[in-house]
Amino acid sequence: MWICGTVEEQYSVLSNLPLVETTCRSASSGNMSKAPQPTMDPTKMGIGRSIAVLTSGGDAQGMNAAVRATVRVGLYTGAKVYFVHEGYQGLVDGGENIRLATWESVSMMLQLGGTVIGSARCKDFRTREGRMQAACNLVKRGITNLCVIGGDGSLTGANAFRTEWSGLLADLVRAGKITEDEAKKSSHLNIVGMVGSIDNDFCGTDMTIGTDSALHRIIEVVDAITTTAQSHQRTFILEVMGRHCGYLALVTALACGADWVFIPEMPPDEGWEDHLCRRLTDQRTRGSRLNVIIVAEGAMDREGKPISSDQIKKLVTDRLGFDTRTTILGHVQRGGTPSAFDRILGSRMGVEAVMALLEATPDTPACVVSLSGNQAVRLPLMECVQVTKDVTAAMSQGRFDEAIKLRGKSFENNWNTYKLLAHINPPDVKSNINVAIMNIGAPCAGMNAAVRSAVRMGLIQGHNMLAVYDGFDGLAHGQIEPITWTSVSGWTGKGGSMLGTKRTLPAKLLEEISQNIAKFNIHALVIIGGFEAYVGGLELVQAREKYEEMCIPMVVIPATVSNNVPGSDFSIGADTALNTITSTCDRIKQSAAGTKRRVFIVETMGGYCGYLATMAGLAAGADAAYIFEDKFNIKDLEVNVEHLVEKMKTTVKRGLILRNENCNANYTTDFIFNLYSEEGKGVFDCRKNVLGHMQQGGTPTPFDRNFGTKMGAKSVLWLTEKLKECYRHGRIFANTPDSACVLGMKKRSLTFQPLVELKGDTDFEHRIPKTQWWLKIRPIMKILAKYDIKLDTSEHADMEHVIKKRTALAK
């Protein structure tokens, strides 16, 4: 995202605090520590150096994106890059397992699952003799930089290899297998790791490569099962992977609104069987036609005994008599094409890994490239491994609260949100507070998940929740009704807007709106939507001077495919749209690969915001992405055409060009199509595709469901606190700037920023923020497409340190 997200978690991907607290060596603050460096030519950084890349351990979707980026950026810097096939086994066996990589050899890898260069468990590498042979193979090829993509075991092995490197070389010299001169030239081995694991079980990164794709596979199955479960009023038990980490199970439970989740980090309390049966019965009593229980394969009770899906099925069947089915997902979670987030994450990690290798000195510890918020960071490898081991130790010793905390803020926040929404019933005592919730602007996937969690969190707080239908029009015309716990059941997986949404702004309806706020006694307002929601919120705040009824706390939750709301790096719905574009581009590229010498021009949504075009370009491997924020002219178009003409001379005889819908009023999609068609005559032919409103539709991705769920819950908790602050003399009165905020993800956390303070960072004419984080990663797309551009190396990510939390936890 990042990452992606997950950018947390992708994208939280991408979205919350890092899994471990970090502190930077430099004085600068922030997720990615930036330190000015002497400017150097990035295309010459790797001259005379060699880099090897391998994948090890279990495969994970997105590994190929990381391999591709490592190869292409390595070549961009002037380095030689080698594939190591079959993981550490290939490193030991040598020969044809270690081969030079070329630009073309990583083409069409982005959309493939698994790892193209292979992975294998290797007993030989665990012996000193095996590691000596591996070292010999590297020295003979002049390779002193190793990039390892795998889990904590694979990365720990790499660090051990590096630690004993000098001793291995000495033994090789004594054995006559390498010369003194060869040993001298290869005196130091640099190691950089990237974590590839669908379990997201490595401490130090918000998301590991492959996790988001695994969640996609799981949610696809959950959605399919939900329909049949509702038809027959069944209880379904789904077992997902996660022998030692419950991340997949926990996020799945949040994303599908499961009734119960079993994870190894937090076994259920004693007597959980009675609690579970009460929970399921309560849901049926409220009108639910199905129950969903998610089980991590490593689930256990407080005594450390496994809790199996069959055990749970027997309990539910025997005690409640419910028609119950069990589904064990197994390796389907590892399969399939990687999500857009994993492709972006792998690509960004690959770029950062190469830079970390080439900037490393003999004193630099082996590092792992991680995702924190929406930025890449470098962390000492063994510190992260140690914290990961600390989690396992805490679980084995029954210190479960500590295990949750050691997993990090993101995991902890997910757990706390799940507990609130699934295990707490609305109180009998009401607060007499009425909170209204509405959708504004164009519909997008994930809106309903935000509404559901906001409604349920409000009811848990004792508030009365009111649904406003059809946006500000509905607020002005009194389309307001109470909304209950069961009303929003099953909403997490539904696309569009169940409340209905319109683009109408409130400025011309203020009189009617103020009257209905008074009539329905609305004390707080949740506005979920895109740029119109932000502008509408501002208009309500500005109307406070004239209409006292507007003096209530308000929160805007960004939800739009365009990702153009000031105050947030990510908007609900953008990830779903991005995956739709990426999957369409995959099909288009496949078509072009079959016919050869074909270039596709694809128009994306986004208004004036180029987020979708840029990120889809990175995820789909586009040759160019035209956007409003990055101005271009006819000379740039000419360069792109020449680039494609040269590309057609290689074995990669296809092209993909993305164009944001409002990138330029004159260089329209038709103009660019006609230009490319004319200039490509005799070399390539062109096709065009306008994706249109399919980008707004579909079921929400796991990220959008999870992101919307957390945003909705957090917004109501914030409003509850604001209502306490604003309660004066028996009434609510809120007129301070911080009583009307945008809830957004900024770098490492979800933050509330006053609407009026965001005006200065807003281009109202073009409906975009003036500063947008993702513009900084546009050069990556161009480099990976083999454009001759300069990467800015004046700033880079300093090594950060993982702080042990033992002292804080002991308190």
Side-chain angles (χ1 to χ4, degrees):
M1 120 172 326
W2 169 326
I3 142 166
C4 53
T6 102
V7 189
E8 158 187 310
E9 159 157 71
Q10 332 60 39
Y11 309 118
S12 311
V13 290
L14 291 170
S15 68
N16 280 335
L17 296 173
L19 291 182
V20 290
E21 291 180 6
T22 55
T23 182
C24 305
R25 284 180 176 173
S26 69
S28 62
S29 61
N31 191 4
M32 174 182 263
S33 163
K34 295 285 189 178
Q37 301 292 318
T39 302
M40 59 192 303
D41 185 350
T43 61
K44 294 181 171 57
M45 289 174 65
I47 292 177
R49 304 177 72 175
S50 296
I51 299 170
V53 57
L54 64 85
T55 54
S56 177
D59 63 304
Q61 308 98 315
M63 279 184 165
N64 291 323
V67 170
R68 171 180 177 268
T70 302
V71 169
R72 290 194 169 178
V73 176
L75 295 173
Y76 165 82
T77 65
K80 286 184 178 179
V81 185
Y82 290 83
F83 291 132
V84 179
H85 292 266
E86 312 308 332
Y88 285 119
Q89 192 65 56
L91 204 62
V92 174
D93 294 343
E96 281 299 300
N97 287 304
I98 305 177
R99 303 179 214 164
L100 269 174
T102 65
W103 198 275
E104 287 96 3
S105 63
V106 293
S107 179
M108 291 298 282
M109 283 176 64
L110 266 174
Q111 67 268 39
L112 299 178
T115 165
V116 169
I117 61 175
S119 180
R121 310 289 180 185
C122 180
K123 292 182 180 178
D124 293 338
F125 192 75
R126 295 177 183 175
T127 67
R128 185 171 178 82
E129 292 75 16
R131 294 192 292 274
M132 275 183 63
Q133 187 57 47
C136 183
N137 290 330
L138 292 178
V139 170
K140 289 297 183 182
R141 293 168 176 78
I143 300 170
T144 56
N145 298 281
L146 186 60
C147 179
V148 178
I149 308 167
D152 61 340
S154 302
L155 300 183
T156 301
N159 186 71
F161 189 41
R162 174 184 180 273
T163 301
E164 62 178 356
W165 180 256
S166 58
L168 295 173
L169 295 193
D171 288 350
L172 288 169
V173 170
R174 280 193 292 271
K177 293 185 177 181
I178 64 173
T179 65
E180 291 276 5
D181 188 50
E182 285 175 328
K184 187 176 180 180
K185 288 180 179 178
S186 302
S187 60
H188 179 69
L189 178 68
N190 294 320
I191 294 283
V192 169
M194 288 181 270
V195 190
S197 167
I198 67 167
D199 291 336
N200 203 32
D201 56 355
F202 191 82
C203 291
T205 184
D206 283 352
M207 289 283 274
T208 56
I209 296 170
T211 302
D212 187 65
S213 300
L215 285 169
H216 275 249
R217 300 295 90 77
I218 295 168
I219 291 300
E220 287 167 9
V221 173
V222 170
D223 285 349
I225 281 177
T226 297
T227 55
T228 182
Q230 285 177 326
S231 300
H232 297 277
Q233 297 192 62
R234 283 177 175 154
T235 295
F236 263 92
I237 303 165
L238 281 84
E239 182 179 304
V240 301
M241 284 185 169
R243 190 171 295 114
H244 304 294
C245 179
Y247 184 87
L248 289 178
L250 178 55
V251 174
T252 299
L254 272 175
C256 72
D259 297 298
W260 198 283
V261 65
F262 292 91
I263 60 173
E265 289 87 349
M266 185 57 72
D269 293 329
E270 192 174 335
W272 62 268
E273 296 91 343
D274 295 333
H275 188 182
L276 172 61
C277 290
R278 281 198 308 272
R279 175 75 184 162
L280 300 184
T281 303
D282 286 346
Q283 290 299 95
R284 291 295 177 96
T285 303
R286 287 176 177 162
S288 176
R289 291 180 59 85
L290 80 158
N291 300 116
V292 175
I293 300 169
I294 309 296
V295 186
E297 61 179 327
M300 58 185 179
D301 63 19
R302 293 270 162 172
E303 302 302 318
K305 297 176 183 177
I307 296 177
S308 69
S309 49
D310 285 339
Q311 176 187 348
I312 300 166
K313 177 183 178 181
K314 187 175 187 308
L315 170 70
V316 175
T317 304
D318 290 351
R319 286 211 194 174
L320 303 178
F322 290 176
D323 187 1
T324 306
R325 299 287 189 274
T326 298
T327 300
I328 299 174
L329 297 191
H331 282 75
V332 68
Q333 296 159 88
R334 289 192 184 279
T337 186
S339 66
F341 175 74
D342 273 328
R343 301 184 198 194
I344 296 168
L345 177 62
S347 298
R348 294 182 67 190
M349 297 300 98
V351 173
E352 190 63 36
V354 172
M355 292 298 135
L357 283 171
L358 298 182
E359 291 169 3
T361 68
D363 296 326
T364 306
C367 79
V368 60
V369 179
S370 300
L371 179 76
S372 184
N374 58 24
Q375 294 167 310
V377 296
R378 302 175 192 174
L379 299 172
L381 170 59
M382 294 315 294
E383 290 185 18
C384 294
V385 170
Q386 184 57 53
V387 177
T388 303
K389 289 180 178 178
D390 289 346
V391 177
T392 305
M395 287 192 290
S396 65
Q397 295 166 16
R399 295 179 282 114
F400 300 113
D401 288 330
E402 183 174 341
I404 292 281
K405 290 181 181 297
L406 283 167
R407 281 282 181 223
K409 282 290 183 184
S410 175
F411 192 98
E412 187 179 2
N413 288 341
N414 282 332
W415 175 247
N416 290 335
T417 302
Y418 166 76
K419 282 196 302 181
L420 278 174
L421 293 176
H423 282 240
I424 296 180
N425 292 321
D428 294 328
V429 179
K430 299 295 184 181
S431 66
N432 293 321
I433 292 292
N434 297 319
V435 179
I437 187 165
M438 60 199 301
N439 292 340
I440 308 296
C444 67
M447 272 184 165
N448 295 320
V451 172
R452 171 188 172 273
S453 68
V455 167
R456 291 197 168 179
M457 187 58 75
L459 294 172
I460 288 167
Q461 300 300 309
H463 308 325
N464 301 306
M465 301 302 293
L466 301 174
V468 180
Y469 294 91
D470 295 337
F472 286 116
D473 276 344
L475 188 57
H477 300 136
Q479 295 173 242
I480 304 168
E481 295 177 0
I483 187 165
T484 64
W485 188 277
T486 53
S487 300
V488 294
S489 180
W491 280 27
T492 51
K494 293 184 178 179
S497 167
M498 299 295 288
L499 294 183
T501 180
K502 290 187 177 180
R503 295 180 181 271
T504 307
L505 292 172
K508 296 180 180 179
L509 302 168
L510 292 174
E511 185 70 37
E512 295 91 335
I513 287 174
S514 65
Q515 290 173 0
N516 277 324
I517 289 176
K519 178 181 176 181
F520 289 90
N521 200 22
I522 295 172
H523 301 108
L525 191 59
V526 179
I527 306 171
I528 302 171
F531 200 82
E532 291 90 352
Y534 164 70
V535 175
L538 270 175
E539 290 180 359
L540 293 183
V541 171
Q542 291 162 356
R544 283 174 169 178
E545 293 182 6
K546 184 177 180 181
Y547 300 98
E548 192 175 298
E549 292 83 0
M550 308 292 185
C551 294
I552 57 174
M554 307 174 197
V555 62
V556 174
I557 298 177
T560 167
V561 302
S562 301
N563 197 38
N564 63 335
V565 178
S568 187
D569 293 341
F570 293 98
S571 294
I572 297 166
D575 184 62
T576 304
L578 179 58
N579 276 278
T580 298
I581 298 168
T582 302
S583 61
T584 304
C585 288
D586 284 350
R587 293 182 176 91
I588 286 172
K589 284 178 68 179
Q590 194 173 45
S591 165
T595 54
K596 308 291 186 185
R597 300 184 184 278
R598 180 164 286 177
V599 174
F600 276 88
I601 317 293
V602 178
E603 181 185 299
T604 69
M605 277 183 158
Y608 286 95
C609 181
Y611 175 83
L612 286 179
T614 296
M615 290 307 203
L618 189 54
D623 296 281
Y626 300 124
I627 65 170
F628 172 77
E629 295 93 339
D630 194 356
K631 304 301 182 186
F632 61 98
N633 54 34
I634 194 68
K635 291 183 179 179
D636 297 312
L637 294 173
E638 185 180 2
V639 168
N640 295 148
V641 172
E642 291 171 355
H643 168 81
L644 286 169
V645 169
E646 290 300 311
K647 186 178 181 181
M648 296 301 159
K649 297 176 183 178
T650 71
T651 57
V652 187
K653 302 180 186 300
R654 61 187 169 275
L656 177 65
I657 306 294
L658 299 183
R659 177 189 177 275
N660 170 245
E661 59 184 346
N662 288 341
C663 65
N664 189 291
N666 296 311
Y667 298 138
T668 62
T669 300
D670 286 338
F671 177 94
I672 293 174
F673 168 71
N674 292 332
L675 173 69
Y676 274 67
S677 297
E678 180 64 29
E679 296 298 319
K681 273 185 179 176
V683 181
F684 59 80
D685 63 350
C686 284
R687 297 289 187 273
K688 66 178 176 180
N689 234 300
V690 179
L691 300 186
H693 283 75
M694 64 181 291
Q695 297 161 83
Q696 288 182 340
T699 58
T701 59
F703 173 74
D704 279 330
R705 299 183 195 204
N706 188 27
F707 193 33
T709 297
K710 284 192 285 192
M711 295 279 270
K714 195 173 182 73
S715 67
V716 172
L717 290 175
W718 179 83
L719 283 175
T720 301
E721 291 303 310
K722 280 293 166 189
L723 286 164
K724 292 176 183 176
E725 293 176 17
C726 301
Y727 186 77
R728 296 286 186 276
H729 308 297
R731 60 192 289 265
I732 303 295
F733 184 78
N735 65 348
T736 58
D738 66 354
S739 64
C741 290
V742 170
L743 170 57
M745 194 206 327
K746 300 296 288 184
K747 293 186 177 178
R748 293 192 176 192
S749 60
L750 292 174
T751 59
F752 293 88
Q753 299 168 83
L755 284 160
V756 293
E757 290 182 8
L758 292 170
K759 288 173 66 176
D761 186 41
T762 305
D763 177 350
F764 286 95
E765 179 185 355
H766 299 105
R767 298 159 53 88
I768 55 174
K770 291 180 181 177
T771 55
Q772 301 185 87
W773 67 272
W774 51 267
L775 286 170
K776 293 181 180 179
I777 66 173
R778 271 183 65 81
I780 295 176
M781 181 188 67
K782 295 179 181 178
I783 289 170
L784 295 179
K786 207 176 182 178
Y787 280 94
D788 184 19
I789 69 165
K790 291 292 185 288
L791 185 65
D792 182 10
T793 58
S794 62
E795 294 183 338
H796 76 275
D798 279 345
M799 186 81 77
E800 299 186 355
H801 286 283
V802 181
I803 298 175
K804 297 287 183 65
K805 298 185 177 181
R806 292 191 181 280
T807 305
L809 291 173
K811 295 177 180 178

